[in-house]
Amino acid sequence: MAARTSLRRRILLGLLGYTVALTLAVFAHGVMVNEHAEALVWQTLLDSELDHVVERITSDPQYRWIDTSSMVLFDGRHGPLPAALQGLAPGVHDEVVIDGVVRVVLIRQTEEGPLALALDITDLEQREFDMWITVMGSTLTMVVLISLAVFWGVNRLVRPLTMLSGSIEALKPDQPGQRIAVPASATTELVVIADSINDYLRRNDSFVERERIFIDTASHELRTPISVIAGASELALGQPSIPPAVRGQLARIRQTSRDVERLIALLLVLAKDPSRLAGTADRLSLDQTVAEIVDQHAHLAEGKDLAITIAGSTGVEIVASLPVVQTAIGNLLRNAIENSDRGTIELRIEPPATVVISDPGHGMTPEEISAIYARLARGGGERMGGGIGLDLIARLCEHLGWTLDIQSGPGRGTVARLTLSSAPSTGRP
């Protein structure tokens, strides 16, 4: 895409171009008018003088012209004209050099032969050159002064628009209560634009607030029944008389209840302002948390020729909500297990607070990876894989300032790198 230019620059270039074009047009018109007027003056002056000479010659055949310091008569009746005049048509010819002197010449054809009356204009040409230098200098000065005036005027004209665009650029999508201030010198059009944007910001704040209230209320309302279900399943599993088939179903209910509890915890995090999350976060040992997550998801690898290993640094600590960390890492691990048939899934902990999950699975195409990053950018999208889906992981990363990087390719597995906000690392390799 071609680079875009500012409105100020476009107006400046347009006005300066118009100024230069107009100046050149006026200058060219002045040159044409001057040359035409000069030709008329020479025509009138030399015609009058040559008419007098012809009249004298006609009335007195013995009359002889006497050349002056500035005017010379070349009589072609008694000999050829100078080489500089030969081949010239009858009429006035300006700036003809004869014997090193610049002259204006009037050539007239008579019955006896051609006559040429030449006037020395060397000094006049020098003065004309000096005059054109002065005119060009004054023209250039005028263009510079007009350019400065145009720059000042355009800068003053577009300053309110520049301030408005700067205010729009400074808007933060995660900050409520933002408004755009209208400069006092703004035009009515800018006021309409600013009022429309402020109205949109107010409606967007209301929508976000309603969404947060709904998610917060719904999540709190769901926690009680889910806790009851999880507690009941725990108590039931503690009974030794439960048949194996029923025990398996109860274990599935308990696991699903835990997953829903983590999802509710994630929704509560998304419903809160990121600046208020620090007070509800805990200091966690990342390697211990990862080990617990692996234990909780090990049953998903049953029936597959898969091994799950943990490597990397130990003692890395982070400040975050435990259910949220478990949900994010667990979802990535679940996707790795579901997309792998055999081999080793490695979870590697890297300082300051990064978990790298690499699987030997089938990998993803560049289009699938692009779709994931598109959801990261817009904070939503269709679900992929099991668990809560990468769409909520994307929103979680955006909300908490985490980063998720996925690299993959067909036939070479997938590497997911999740970087968490952390406390100062105390990791030991």
Side-chain angles (χ1 to χ4, degrees):
M1 182 181 294
R4 298 184 182 274
T5 57
S6 64
L7 178 62
R8 177 192 288 107
R9 184 176 180 181
R10 293 186 182 185
I11 295 177
L12 280 175
L13 292 179
L15 291 179
L16 292 180
Y18 173 77
T19 300
V20 172
L22 181 62
T23 302
L24 292 177
V26 172
F27 185 81
H29 183 264
V31 171
M32 293 175 60
V33 171
N34 179 77
E35 291 296 325
H36 183 68
E38 187 178 5
L40 289 178
V41 170
W42 296 141
Q43 181 78 43
T44 303
L45 176 64
L46 295 178
D47 267 341
S48 175
E49 190 66 29
L50 191 57
D51 287 344
H52 175 71
V53 172
V54 171
E55 183 180 352
R56 292 292 302 272
I57 293 176
T58 302
S59 62
D60 184 4
Q62 303 300 322
Y63 174 77
R64 293 292 181 270
W65 167 270
I66 300 176
D67 294 336
T68 65
S69 59
S70 60
M71 189 170 292
V72 179
L73 177 67
F74 298 100
D75 193 347
R77 299 173 300 175
H78 304 291
L81 296 177
L85 302 180
Q86 293 180 10
L88 297 179
V92 177
H93 301 276
D94 195 6
E95 299 181 5
V96 179
V97 180
I98 303 175
D99 298 331
V101 179
V102 180
R103 297 180 182 274
V104 57
V105 181
L106 172 61
I107 299 177
R108 181 181 295 178
Q109 187 68 36
T110 64
E111 295 179 357
E112 292 80 6
L115 292 175
L117 186 62
L119 176 65
D120 184 1
I121 58 173
T122 303
D123 292 340
L124 185 62
E125 286 295 320
Q126 182 61 45
R127 293 179 183 179
E128 185 179 16
F129 177 77
D130 295 340
M131 181 194 69
W132 283 122
I133 293 295
T134 303
V135 170
M136 292 178 64
S138 62
T139 302
L140 182 60
T141 303
M142 181 186 66
V143 170
V144 172
L145 293 177
I146 292 178
S147 300
L148 293 176
V150 167
F151 178 80
W152 179 83
V154 170
N155 188 64
R156 183 179 178 84
L157 179 65
V158 303
R159 184 180 301 151
L161 181 60
T162 302
M163 296 173 62
L164 181 64
S165 63
S167 300
I168 296 175
E169 186 179 8
L171 293 175
K172 304 295 184 181
D174 56 343
Q175 293 182 4
Q178 300 178 99
R179 297 295 181 268
I180 294 177
V182 182
S185 57
T187 60
T188 55
E189 292 81 4
L190 292 183
V191 173
V192 171
I193 294 174
D195 289 344
S196 300
I197 295 177
N198 287 333
D199 180 64
Y200 171 79
L201 291 174
R202 281 190 292 269
R203 288 186 284 112
N204 184 71
D205 289 343
S206 300
F207 171 78
V208 172
E209 186 62 26
R210 289 196 305 269
E211 183 185 51
R212 285 183 175 178
I213 293 175
F214 171 77
I215 294 176
D216 185 70
T217 303
S219 300
H220 279 93
E221 292 297 329
L222 287 174
R223 295 184 76 174
T224 299
I226 295 300
S227 298
V228 171
I229 294 173
S233 62
E234 289 284 353
L235 292 175
L237 287 173
Q239 302 297 323
S241 59
I242 298 298
V246 177
R247 184 175 296 275
Q249 295 299 324
L250 290 174
R252 185 176 180 183
I253 292 174
R254 180 182 60 181
Q255 181 61 40
T256 303
S257 300
R258 290 176 178 175
D259 292 341
V260 175
E261 285 180 342
R262 292 170 186 164
L263 175 59
I264 293 174
L266 174 59
L267 294 177
L268 287 173
V269 169
L270 292 176
K272 293 181 180 179
D273 194 307
S275 61
R276 297 189 301 169
L277 292 175
T280 61
D282 302 316
R283 182 176 293 273
L284 308 174
S285 173
L286 187 57
D287 53 323
Q288 181 179 351
T289 303
V290 169
E292 294 174 356
I293 294 173
V294 171
D295 290 340
Q296 294 169 0
H297 291 77
H299 68 279
L300 298 176
E302 294 178 358
K304 294 184 177 183
D305 187 14
L306 280 175
I308 303 176
T309 62
I310 302 175
S313 301
T314 60
V316 176
E317 293 185 343
I318 62 172
V319 177
S321 173
L322 177 60
V324 173
V325 175
Q326 290 176 334
T327 301
I329 299 177
N331 185 75
L332 296 176
L333 178 58
R334 179 191 295 268
N335 288 335
I337 294 174
E338 291 181 350
N339 290 281
S340 302
D341 298 326
R342 64 182 59 86
T344 301
I345 297 177
E346 182 185 56
L347 286 82
R348 184 174 183 84
I349 301 173
E350 298 178 354
T354 300
V355 179
V356 181
I357 303 176
S358 56
D359 65 67
H362 309 294
M364 291 187 293
T365 64
E367 290 77 13
E368 292 172 330
I369 297 178
S370 298
I372 293 175
Y373 282 115
R375 284 196 301 276
L376 287 172
R378 65 176 181 263
E382 299 177 357
R383 294 184 58 182
M384 282 185 56
I388 65 172
L390 289 176
D391 50 355
L392 285 181
I393 296 297
R395 292 192 62 180
L396 181 67
C397 291
E398 180 184 6
H399 194 68
L400 299 180
W402 298 354
T403 57
L404 175 63
D405 179 65
I406 298 178
Q407 297 179 357
S408 181
R412 59 183 179 90
T414 301
V415 178
R417 180 183 297 271
L418 179 62
T419 302
L420 313 170
S421 56
S422 65
S425 173
T426 58
R428 300 181 299 274

